[in-house]
Amino acid sequence: MAESSHATQVHASILNTVDVNVFNDRISSQLPVAKNHPGPKCVAISSNSRPKTIFRPPISAARKSYTVRYKLQVLAYLHQASIPDGTQSANQLRRPTLVETSHQFKIPVPNISRWKLAESKLLTRVGTERRSRIGKRKWPVLEKELYDAFQAHRKQGKIVRRGFFRIKAKLLFQQYHPNEGVFRFSNGWFNGFLNWYNISLRFGTNKATKIPMDLFNTLVNFAQFNRRNSQIREGDIPATIGRYQLRNICNMDQTPLPFEFLSGQTYNLKVFADGRNYVKPLIFYRGKGLGAAVLQEMKEYDPQVVVKFNPTAYANSSNMVEWLQEQLIPILENHPTLLAVDLFSGHRTEDVLNTMKANDITVSVIPAGCTSIVQPLDISINRPFKELLREKIEEGEERMIEREEALVGTGRRLAGSKVGCRRIMTTWAIGEAWEEFCTEWQEVIIRSFTMVGLSLPLDGSHDRSHLSLKGVDMERFMEDIQNWQVGGIENTGDEDNEEIIPEAEDNSEAIDYVVGPLRTEE
């Protein structure tokens, strides 16, 4: 009985993401119901008759793997959802059948049957599963063992410094690749390894600790570059921050949508130092964006977002140039602009850089490993926005499920494919979430730019009261960035950097490495 009670509680918590009571008129209006086809209409079944069995073609697998939580969500729907029983009485409800559950989630019946048999085991694993990222690395066996050793070290409660990775990697290299010469602990390899296994840097909160000197110098270089390029030039009209108005100091970042059923979709946000919203969010869906159904679907997208299709769901050079010309450049009003971007290659192609240069946009590339320190979107904005977006997405998904349930037994269905309906719903969720965020969190956006120094007066008069970088010796940092005339070489962001990382600060107490969830396959 205890196990049954626990299962019921887990199902109830998971079903909260599936079952809702009300529709949102705005979203519902974007998901029109398909018209009935001409011909004989279905005759209502009397209340004392047994519902007719609807035979549908079996569902073929639409995807290759599912998380434990998603499996339990499907089983929760099978066990606890209530759907119309097909009679004339609106109050007659019943549980869905295995076949109906299969069609609801587009999952083959055999899969659901296996999950049902293994349900007790799934209940013990909820919240613990991680999916491995599939792909190729230069030394996959070495890196996998290095990651396992790192995890074991962290599980024992031990702090992991960079020196741990260097020593362990050298030993594994000698074991697996004895004939390949000397192991090179390079920036390119180590950063790629950390990114591949989603290993995070955690900065100490003790103000006496400092980040490694090589990272400190990189941050100083970045700040000097921004200060030097913000100075008023011949022919410039003096503005709020040197040659830049606050509305012309901005940061851009692209992020995957953090929801399983929306895998293969990303969104691109842009924030401005005055905290106002000038540019629509940019959404990328995976695919070609062709066909009559997709073209019809596009008419239902929220007009407050821009949607692009491409094979990877990440911005490429042509997408970026098109977006710059259509969205960003028109709102700059021919004023000089400072744009901070990360190392993503789509931001730094020749066509993109030429377009920016032609419109007096200075590109400030945030150095590798520094986005969590000096990128406004990362330090203050992405986390609260994702929480808000999650609420909007889940509400939209729940409305879709309830609307589908309401149509069971009526002979009607939602217009278009389920994927298309979700894409429509996602555009409205992102549009609403971003509009709400920019209104309620404007001061947070403004403060994120001052904290990293992008929108502070160039004379340094506000550095001491506003500048704040975690893990950084701020006294020395503020002193060094004043020497912007001789520093600030632009960071090229070479991801194949083979420069050997020095051992001097391998055991810096300012940084240790922590386990993050493994990335899902792209």
Side-chain angles (χ1 to χ4, degrees):
M1 289 295 292
E3 182 178 346
S4 174
S5 176
H6 173 64
T8 302
Q9 293 175 0
V10 174
H11 283 150
S13 65
I14 295 176
L15 195 61
N16 286 335
T17 66
V18 178
D19 198 15
V20 292
N21 298 319
V22 293
F23 298 111
N24 180 283
D25 294 337
R26 187 177 183 191
I27 298 295
S28 297
S29 65
Q30 305 308 314
L31 303 172
V33 176
K35 296 180 180 179
N36 287 331
H37 295 289
K41 302 300 185 290
C42 296
V43 179
I45 305 172
S46 62
S47 58
N48 56 1
S49 299
R50 182 179 179 180
K52 291 183 179 180
T53 301
I54 301 175
F55 294 96
R56 302 183 177 94
I59 294 291
S60 58
R63 49 188 300 176
K64 297 180 180 179
S65 61
Y66 306 84
T67 64
V68 170
R69 179 164 290 276
Y70 191 77
K71 293 176 182 178
L72 289 173
Q73 179 177 322
V74 174
L75 293 177
Y77 179 85
L78 175 65
H79 295 319
Q80 296 190 18
S82 298
I83 64 175
D85 68 352
T87 65
Q88 290 179 331
S89 174
N91 296 323
Q92 294 295 321
L93 302 173
R94 61 178 175 83
R95 301 295 182 211
T97 66
L98 201 61
V99 173
E100 288 168 338
T101 303
S102 169
H103 282 267
Q104 172 70 27
F105 290 92
K106 309 301 182 188
I107 296 173
V109 169
N111 288 34
I112 302 177
S113 298
R114 287 195 302 270
W115 300 346
K116 189 176 179 183
L117 293 174
E119 187 170 357
S120 59
K121 292 182 179 179
L122 294 176
L123 288 168
T124 65
R125 293 172 56 200
V126 64
T128 63
E129 185 188 61
R130 291 287 184 268
R131 296 195 306 171
S132 297
R133 184 179 180 182
I134 300 173
K136 294 182 179 180
R137 293 289 293 161
K138 187 174 183 179
W139 303 307
V141 177
L142 179 155
E143 294 184 6
K144 181 62 170 63
E145 286 210 21
L146 180 60
Y147 176 70
D148 291 342
F150 161 67
Q151 278 194 310
H153 216 65
R154 290 297 310 182
K155 286 179 180 178
Q156 294 173 17
K158 297 179 180 179
I159 293 175
V160 178
R161 310 294 189 201
R162 191 169 64 192
F164 169 85
F165 291 104
R166 183 192 300 274
I167 295 170
K168 189 68 177 177
K170 283 184 176 180
L171 292 175
L172 291 172
F173 186 83
Q174 293 171 3
Q175 177 182 346
Y176 291 106
H177 307 279
N179 300 321
E180 293 188 21
V182 180
F183 176 72
R184 295 173 59 84
F185 193 76
S186 67
N187 270 310
W189 174 80
F190 187 53
N191 288 335
F193 168 77
L194 296 178
N195 181 61
W196 189 266
Y197 286 99
N198 204 20
I199 297 173
S200 303
L201 283 68
R202 182 168 62 188
F203 292 84
T205 57
N206 185 347
K207 292 183 179 179
T209 61
K210 303 178 180 65
I211 63 172
M213 185 54 64
D214 53 344
L215 194 58
F216 176 86
N217 291 336
T218 299
L219 290 170
V220 170
N221 184 78
F222 172 74
Q224 288 176 335
F225 173 84
N226 295 329
R227 288 271 166 107
R228 189 179 75 245
N229 283 278
S230 299
Q231 303 298 319
I232 298 175
R233 305 174 187 176
E234 184 178 355
D236 282 344
I237 299 175
T240 310
I241 307 297
R243 67 192 303 257
Y244 301 124
Q245 301 287 356
L246 286 177
R247 62 170 292 164
N248 291 87
I249 300 174
C250 40
N251 174 219
M252 177 173 63
D253 188 30
Q254 187 167 0
T255 309
L257 281 165
F259 309 99
E260 182 175 352
F261 65 83
L262 296 175
S263 61
Q265 303 179 18
T266 62
Y267 62 90
N268 188 311
L269 297 180
K270 191 175 185 70
V271 288
F272 297 81
D274 65 354
R276 299 179 65 184
N277 181 19
Y278 297 104
V279 177
K280 299 176 182 180
L282 175 62
I283 304 173
F284 285 96
Y285 290 144
R286 181 173 293 169
K288 297 181 178 179
L290 302 175
V294 175
L295 295 176
Q296 180 62 35
E297 170 192 318
M298 291 179 178
K299 297 178 181 179
E300 309 297 335
Y301 292 163
D302 186 342
Q304 296 306 312
V305 302
V306 177
V307 177
K308 303 289 184 184
F309 285 82
N310 70 30
T312 64
Y314 274 87
N316 55 35
S317 179
S318 61
N319 293 145
M320 287 305 302
V321 170
E322 184 179 358
W323 180 77
L324 286 168
Q325 293 174 340
E326 294 178 355
Q327 297 293 320
L328 179 61
I329 293 172
I331 64 96
L332 299 180
E333 299 180 345
N334 295 319
H335 293 308
T337 299
L338 179 66
L339 172 61
V341 297
D342 60 21
L343 287 170
F344 176 58
S345 59
H347 299 158
R348 298 176 289 111
T349 66
E350 184 177 358
D351 288 344
V352 171
L353 294 178
N354 287 340
T355 301
M356 292 184 180
K357 184 177 181 180
N359 291 275
D360 203 4
I361 301 174
T362 300
V363 180
S364 177
V365 179
I366 298 170
C370 298
T371 55
S372 62
I373 307 175
V374 292
Q375 173 154 266
L377 278 160
D378 273 6
I379 65 171
S380 302
I381 298 169
N382 278 337
R383 177 175 293 182
F385 175 71
K386 284 180 179 179
E387 292 175 356
L388 179 59
L389 177 58
R390 181 178 293 277
E391 294 177 7
K392 301 292 184 181
I393 293 271
E394 289 179 349
E395 289 172 3
E397 179 72 2
E398 289 166 356
R399 293 185 205 103
M400 286 181 56
I401 292 173
E402 184 168 321
R403 185 162 188 177
E404 288 176 336
E405 292 176 359
L407 294 175
V408 173
T410 66
R412 309 170 74 194
R413 60 179 180 80
L414 290 178
S417 67
K418 191 164 187 176
V419 172
C421 290
R422 278 176 169 161
R423 285 197 293 246
I424 294 171
M425 176 270 294
T426 302
T427 67
W428 287 90
I430 291 177
E432 289 184 344
W434 187 237
E435 181 179 4
E436 182 176 329
F437 186 87
C438 290
T439 301
E440 298 182 2
W441 294 72
Q442 184 177 8
E443 290 302 317
V444 172
I445 298 173
I446 294 172
R447 189 166 61 251
S448 69
F449 279 86
T450 60
M451 287 175 63
V452 302
L454 285 171
S455 59
L456 291 179
L458 304 183
D459 61 5
S461 59
H462 288 62
D463 287 355
R464 190 171 298 278
S465 58
H466 291 82
L467 198 58
S468 176
L469 306 180
K470 59 184 178 182
V472 176
D473 180 348
M474 295 309 300
E475 290 294 332
R476 180 175 178 182
F477 183 83
M478 288 186 287
E479 179 181 348
D480 287 357
I481 63 175
Q482 290 305 312
N483 194 23
W484 53 263
Q485 295 92 337
V486 296
I489 307 301
E490 185 174 10
N491 189 314
T492 59
D494 182 7
E495 295 178 355
D496 298 321
N497 184 5
E498 292 297 325
E499 178 185 355
I500 300 301
I501 301 176
E503 299 183 22
E505 291 170 324
D506 272 1
N507 297 312
S508 167
E509 295 182 1
I511 298 178
D512 68 304
Y513 297 83
V514 295
V515 182
L518 285 180
R519 299 175 184 273
T520 58
E521 54 194 274
E522 295 178 353

